[in-house]
Amino acid sequence: MAGRTSGRVIIPKNPGELLKLANKIYDKHVADGAASPLNAMQDFNWAVDGPKVAPCIQNNDGAEAAAKLAEQLYRQRDIDLPAIKAIVQNSASVLKGIYAKNPKVLGDYGFVVDDTKKVPKQKP
């Protein structure tokens, strides 16, 4: 039978979960006041960094909401994007056929017309 270990402390890697844990620690530290064992830390100070937790949680929540909104907007964009790409490509083909002798006219429609010769890629 295996003996008990001294216990592994699991620190969340997810920023949201880490911030929730930090908030719980800070609340307990504040509740304990001068008797808090966390006052013994030399390199870190909850009195300095503790108040940063709440705004950091708000920033994280805002960032997650913005990411969800961005994902929804990208999904909506992607519904129509293939049709728009196709009509742009076909418009370029039609205009290039109409203005075969002067393709620079496509610039009037917003197309970039590069009439320089392609330089062949050199093999290394």
Side-chain angles (χ1 to χ4, degrees), residues 23-43:
N23 199 41
K24 288 180 183 178
I25 294 168
Y26 181 58
D27 288 347
K28 174 69 171 143
H29 172 68
V30 169
D32 289 349
S36 173
L38 298 178
N39 287 323
M41 290 192 293
Q42 298 294 314
D43 294 336

Side-chain angles (χ1 to χ4, degrees), residues 17-60:
E17 293 176 17
L18 178 67
L19 288 168
K20 285 179 189 175
L21 176 59
N23 199 41
K24 288 180 183 178
I25 294 168
Y26 181 58
D27 288 347
K28 174 69 171 143
H29 172 68
V30 169
D32 289 349
S36 173
L38 298 178
N39 287 323
M41 290 192 293
Q42 298 294 314
D43 294 336
F44 299 96
N45 186 340
W46 275 101
V48 173
D49 293 322
K52 297 176 185 176
V53 174
C56 195
I57 289 172
Q58 288 177 334
N59 290 336
N60 186 66

Side-chain angles (χ1 to χ4, degrees), residues 39-124:
N39 287 323
M41 290 192 293
Q42 298 294 314
D43 294 336
F44 299 96
N45 186 340
W46 275 101
V48 173
D49 293 322
K52 297 176 185 176
V53 174
C56 195
I57 289 172
Q58 288 177 334
N59 290 336
N60 186 66
D61 292 347
E64 287 180 359
K68 286 179 185 176
L69 177 60
E71 187 176 320
Q72 291 171 351
L73 293 172
Y74 281 128
R75 268 194 238 118
Q76 288 299 316
R77 176 204 65 188
D78 291 347
I79 291 170
D80 296 323
L81 198 57
I84 293 170
K85 182 178 180 183
I87 198 168
V88 167
Q89 289 172 329
N90 283 288
S91 296
S93 295
V94 168
L95 291 170
K96 195 171 177 191
I98 293 171
Y99 299 108
K101 292 186 178 186
N102 187 11
K104 290 285 189 181
V105 173
L106 276 72
D108 294 344
Y109 291 87
F111 290 101
V112 175
V113 180
D114 182 3
D115 60 357
T116 60
K117 292 188 178 193
K118 280 190 174 183
V119 178
K121 293 182 182 178
Q122 294 182 4
K123 295 180 183 177

Side-chain angles (χ1 to χ4, degrees), residues 5-19:
T5 65
S6 60
R8 286 184 298 277
V9 177
I10 299 177
I11 307 292
K13 291 185 169 103
N14 176 287
E17 293 176 17
L18 178 67
L19 288 168

